[in-house]
Amino acid sequence: MRFLLTDEQREFGRSLDALLTAADTPAVLRSWAAGDHGPGRALWGRLADAGVFALAVPEAYGGVGPLPVEAAVACVELGRHAVPGPVAETLAAGVLLAGAGGPVAEEWLPGIASGAAVVSLTLEGYGRYAPDTDAADAVFTVTGDELRLAPGPGEPSASADPARRLFRPEPGGAPVAKGPAIRAAARAAGDTAAFATAALALGCGEELLRATVAYVKQRTQFGVPVGSFQAVKHRLADTLLGLEFARPLLYGAAVELASEVSRPGAGTGSAAGPPGAGAAVAAAKVTAGEAGYAAARTALQLHGAIGYTEELDLAWWLRRARPLRDAWGTPSACRARVLAG
């Protein structure tokens, strides 16, 4: 099978790239890391106007989704530009709440689709910490078959990425939905979060590689660009191969997820993925995460000591690669899921 993005999907990606290029995301990242969420929320609103967060929300609640392929296109671009905020978590919350249905879906899904609501969440099996809860309008937690709205953002925890702050949400909060449908919705939401994080990691790796290639063309040693050295060429080629190998796995997982959406009854409370979807998502997650992290290691080595400096914008991408690799499924957990699938 030959899989290619449509002209409309490619144009969607180009439009997001243009929007984010004009947004000066390094300045937004610095503000977000310092606790000033204003510029980030303004950028979030522009992305919502472009339709990004509506991709995970069903039409019945003001969205256009679920559209996994388009979501992958969007998240790759957001990863390339290191957009701050709980992107994967908000998209996953759209799937979670759609599966839960009822008043909680009616209250929150239109806001997610429009960009008015920034949402973070935690799910059983994925750790106890949620990113950017201090900037979120709601933090959802799932335990067993209960969906709760956390009463507060909780205590902060150390994070390798200062623009992706981690919090342990405050316990308690009254259940807003419960029942077997919550378990199924949580499984689908976990797959969505892992899938979106894989796309973000792929985009992050692409930008790290692009910046590194540009740098080794300019940096000279012995009177020639270091990019002309065979060892450097091989390192960059290996990095490119890793990223390009991850790309079809990401879009293959998108096709698996989209096939579930097209089944009769999908999007009406039955959120369990097909048998192969979870394994496909896990394969994409581990491959994209490892490729993005390898790109960060390459970028740091070939930039030399300048790669450690706060002043270099690339440092924000360097510090983002490993957290994205480990979020919503560590490499070992994803490999185990692939083998089990």
Side-chain angles (χ1 to χ4, degrees):
M1 180 179 71
R2 188 183 184 196
F3 178 78
L4 294 172
L5 296 175
T6 66
D7 291 340
E8 291 79 7
Q9 289 164 342
R10 288 194 292 268
E11 182 57 34
F12 179 48
R14 286 192 290 266
S15 68
L16 291 177
D17 179 41
L19 184 158
L20 292 168
T21 299
D24 189 14
T25 52
V28 175
L29 283 163
R30 287 184 167 84
S31 295
W32 191 275
D36 177 9
H37 302 127
R41 289 295 296 254
L43 177 57
W44 193 278
R46 293 198 290 276
L47 290 170
D49 290 341
V52 170
F53 302 108
L55 295 172
V57 177
E59 293 183 18
Y61 298 100
V64 297
L67 295 174
V69 176
E70 285 76 6
V73 172
C75 287
V76 168
E77 292 301 326
L78 270 59
R80 284 208 312 116
H81 291 273
V83 171
V87 172
E89 292 72 22
T90 296
L91 292 172
V95 173
L96 174 66
L97 299 179
V104 66
E106 296 173 358
E107 179 180 359
W108 287 100
L109 285 178
I112 290 175
S114 69
V118 175
V119 177
S120 193
L121 82 161
T122 62
L123 301 172
E124 274 189 315
Y126 291 99
R128 301 178 179 180
Y129 296 95
D132 301 309
T133 61
D134 58 333
D137 300 295
V139 182
F140 291 99
T141 65
V142 175
T143 304
D145 61 358
E146 288 190 342
L147 171 63
R148 296 175 181 265
L149 183 60
E155 292 295 321
S157 179
S159 175
D161 181 359
R164 189 179 185 274
R165 302 174 65 193
L166 298 177
F167 294 81
R168 187 170 183 173
E170 292 183 10
V176 294
K178 60 174 60 178
I182 300 302
R183 289 182 181 270
R187 287 196 297 271
D191 284 345
T192 299
F195 171 71
T197 303
L200 292 169
L202 177 60
C204 179
E206 287 181 348
E207 175 57 20
L208 286 163
L209 178 60
R210 184 208 63 79
T212 305
V213 169
Y215 180 72
V216 298
K217 289 180 178 179
Q218 298 173 356
R219 181 183 173 190
T220 60
Q221 193 173 45
F222 308 117
V224 297
V226 297
S228 64
F229 300 158
Q230 189 176 44
V232 173
K233 290 180 179 179
H234 285 179
R235 185 68 185 266
L236 292 171
D238 288 344
T239 302
L240 176 61
L241 284 174
L243 294 168
E244 289 303 316
F245 184 72
R247 194 184 314 280
L249 292 178
L250 176 69
Y251 287 110
V255 171
E256 291 280 0
L257 291 171
S259 68
E260 165 63 8
V261 173
S262 65
R263 292 195 319 168
T268 59
S270 176
V281 169
K285 176 64 174 59
V286 66
T287 308
E290 294 281 32
Y293 183 49
R297 292 170 62 89
T298 296
L300 185 58
Q301 180 182 22
L302 297 185
H303 275 81
I306 193 175
Y308 289 95
T309 63
E310 289 281 347
E311 292 77 14
L312 183 70
D313 288 343
L314 194 70
W316 296 98
W317 280 258
L318 288 171
R319 289 184 288 192
R320 178 153 293 201
R322 181 159 185 171
L324 288 175
R325 185 196 73 168
D326 296 338
W328 295 103
T330 62
S332 59
C334 289
R335 290 189 179 98
R337 192 175 186 190
V338 171
L339 291 174

